[in-house]
Amino acid sequence: MNALLTEIAPYVGRICGAVALDAGEDAAQEALVAIFRNLPSLRDAVALRAWARRIAVREALRAAGGRRFVPVDPTTLEAAVADRDLSGDVDVRSVLASLDPLHRAVLVLRHLDGLDEQEMASVLDVAPGTVKSRLHRARVAFRARWSA
Amino acid sequence: MSNWPTVDLQPLDRLRVLARVLPGVWMEERVIDAPFDEVWGFVSDLERAPEFDTDLHSVKIVSRDDNNMKIRVRADVFGLAMPPTPVAVELREGWCWMRSPLYVVGMAAAPEGDRTRFGHLEGVPLHGPPTVQALLQPIAWISRLRHRRHIPHDIDGIERSLGLRS
């Protein structure tokens, strides 16, 4: 169990950190508990990862629920962007914080996890068309805030 | 976009997760009034564990490879002396996980100001299909009950060994 936790925790941490931001630690713990409580029902490693992803996204969105769409003061953001190190954590975090958690989730699944629209739709329990439009809006919002 | 925010599960969080998912274990946390280096320096010297755990007769390190060790433990279980038991250990700064086929012990610690938050987990690591877990439920219950009393004594023993209580 401990060895499996070592293997799966970083993956869950990436999803929860990027989607739930400040609530990421709580989300990651809750996701790991949910994953491991139902572990005996999983048959193979691929199924485990897919299932872990689904639970991590669900818990991250739930944890982020109380703080959906954190508004960012444009003047603060502009100052941050002007001084930015393009590869820095702080800038990515600031931009992500200005997005709706649902948009963060599709960006994470697409750009961190490399899922296609069909797979993302399955994880998020929505139609592929919904994923497509949500991803488009998320990318537009991300680029707009990143280059502001 | 390589530096996305991420969560790095810390040792105490990790121990809390394991405490919630292993049905036969119990975990206690306490803030010990001593610096992290002093607390961790003592508890991670595993051969000194009999100084604070009265169930232990001896702990001997058999082999060591980076963060992993094999130890041999002589202990009482429910008051009965058990034969020497091989135990696999993962030991890092602030994290120790010891596992034998029928028993697990976990310790985790982190600085909290000048003091140390210390977590201790012990018990019978029952897991398996839900039907097996249902059958083992009474053992899990007894194990939790026993360790709910035992672990605070261990932490008292650590504080005593560090000169923090008489």
Side-chain angles (χ1 to χ4, degrees):
Chain A
M1 187 78 76
N2 179 50
L4 201 52
L5 185 58
T6 300
E7 192 178 316
I8 205 78
Y11 178 64
V12 170
R14 280 198 311 163
I15 292 175
C16 291
V19 176
L21 299 177
D22 289 346
E25 285 185 15
D26 289 344
Q29 280 193 51
E30 292 305 318
L32 288 165
V33 168
I35 291 162
F36 281 86
R37 278 195 177 145
N38 294 285
L39 200 55
S41 63
L42 292 174
R43 292 177 189 159
D44 57 56
V46 175
L48 171 64
R49 191 176 173 90
W51 198 56
R53 174 191 302 130
R54 196 180 179 88
I55 292 177
V57 169
R58 184 192 71 192
E59 292 298 335
L61 285 172
R62 182 183 297 173
R67 54 189 89 191
R68 288 170 67 102
F69 198 31
V70 179
V72 172
D73 176 355
T75 55
T76 310
L77 187 60
E78 280 169 20
V81 170
D83 295 337
R84 75 190 178 200
D85 164 12
L86 285 175
S87 62
D89 288 331
V90 175
D91 294 329
V92 173
R93 191 182 184 88
S94 299
V95 175
L96 287 173
S98 70
L99 303 181
D100 187 290
L102 288 169
H103 288 171
R104 295 202 290 266
V106 290
L107 287 173
V108 166
L109 292 174
R110 183 73 190 94
H111 295 283
L112 278 183
D113 225 5
L115 300 195
D116 62 30
E117 286 166 8
Q118 197 72 40
E119 292 167 322
M120 290 161 65
S122 169
V123 172
L124 296 167
D125 268 336
V126 295
T130 305
V131 165
K132 192 171 184 174
S133 60
R134 202 177 276 173
L135 183 59
H136 175 72
R137 286 199 300 273
R139 282 172 167 163
V140 168
F142 190 96
R143 287 197 190 108
R145 288 172 173 87
W146 183 260
S147 57
Chain B
M1 302 218 294
S2 59
N3 291 317
W4 291 55
T6 188
V7 173
D8 183 16
L9 199 67
Q10 297 302 301
L12 276 162
D13 293 333
R14 185 187 183 90
L15 202 63
R16 291 178 191 126
V17 169
L18 288 163
R20 289 174 65 189
V21 299
L22 293 171
V25 305
W26 188 262
M27 178 185 170
E28 293 278 344
E29 282 185 46
R30 193 181 298 176
V31 176
I32 297 177
D33 193 13
F36 172 82
D37 288 345
E38 189 179 341
V39 173
W40 195 251
F42 174 64
V43 300
S44 63
D45 186 352
L46 301 181
E47 291 184 322
R48 295 185 67 185
E51 291 180 29
F52 67 85
D53 186 338
T54 51
D55 282 351
L56 292 177
H57 295 296
S58 67
V59 176
K60 294 289 176 203
I61 295 173
V62 177
S63 65
R64 186 193 295 260
D65 178 16
D66 200 13
N67 291 333
N68 297 302
M69 285 196 279
K70 292 199 186 309
I71 60 174
R72 190 169 294 277
V73 175
R74 286 186 59 241
D76 287 346
V77 176
F78 294 112
L80 300 172
M82 294 288 115
T85 306
V87 177
V89 181
E90 180 190 335
L91 182 65
R92 294 181 275 110
E93 186 85 337
W95 173 256
C96 180
W97 185 253
M98 297 181 264
R99 179 175 52 83
S100 73
L102 295 176
Y103 207 75
V104 290
V105 178
M107 296 189 292
E112 194 163 291
D114 293 338
R115 305 194 295 170
T116 304
R117 178 167 289 277
F118 179 73
H120 190 132
L121 171 154
E122 277 192 51
V124 184
L126 303 170
H127 50 82
T131 46
V132 174
Q133 288 204 18
L135 288 170
L136 296 175
Q137 196 64 23
I139 297 174
W141 184 81
I142 292 168
S143 175
R144 281 201 305 275
L145 191 68
R146 193 237 173 211
H147 291 98
R148 190 174 183 168
R149 295 163 60 112
H150 173 76
I151 293 172
H153 290 159
D154 280 359
I155 304 178
D156 287 350
I158 292 167
E159 290 181 329
R160 203 172 293 116
S161 297
L162 294 172
L164 301 172
R165 66 167 64 220
S166 54

